[in-house]
Amino acid sequence: MRERSAKLHHGGSDRDNPILAEQRLTIVLNKQDADQALKKVWVSVAGAVFFDLTSLAVETDTTVTVDVIAGTHLQSGFPAIENTIHFTTTPHVHSKQAVWVASQPEAMITLDGYNANDPSQPLIYPIYV
């Protein structure tokens, strides 16, 4: 049975909708068959290798998963920075995906209300009917 995963409005898909630093995410590569084996997985930024994720990868017969922390394993900044995640597998398969990552701003609106970083502004509590 395939697991369901949250996709928050395609988070990380472009500069205006980045993943924020300190968020944890799992990157999954679905393998074509059990004979496909991971060679290497890494992150590049502006054409240069930023982080080698190979040691963090967990491989099964059907997937390769890598748990990462934005801002640690993926480079963050303001404005958002494009990180390209690369997988190489046997036999000579290369797959890549871009993820945009931004530093957390001083104050932001969160899904559950204002995060109260500014003492001059009130904390907003969600009210459920």
Side-chain angles (χ1 to χ4, degrees), residues 16-35:
D16 295 326
N17 191 25
I19 299 292
L20 294 179
E22 299 179 23
Q23 287 184 319
R24 296 176 182 272
L25 53 139
T26 301
I27 302 161
V28 179
L29 173 71
N30 291 306
K31 295 167 63 174
Q32 295 172 345
D33 57 50
D35 293 335

Side-chain angles (χ1 to χ4, degrees), residues 63-86:
T63 62
V64 176
T65 59
V66 185
D67 292 326
V68 297
I69 303 170
T72 301
H73 305 114
L74 304 174
Q75 187 175 5
S76 65
F78 186 81
I81 295 175
E82 183 179 23
N83 292 259
T84 304
I85 301 160
H86 302 263

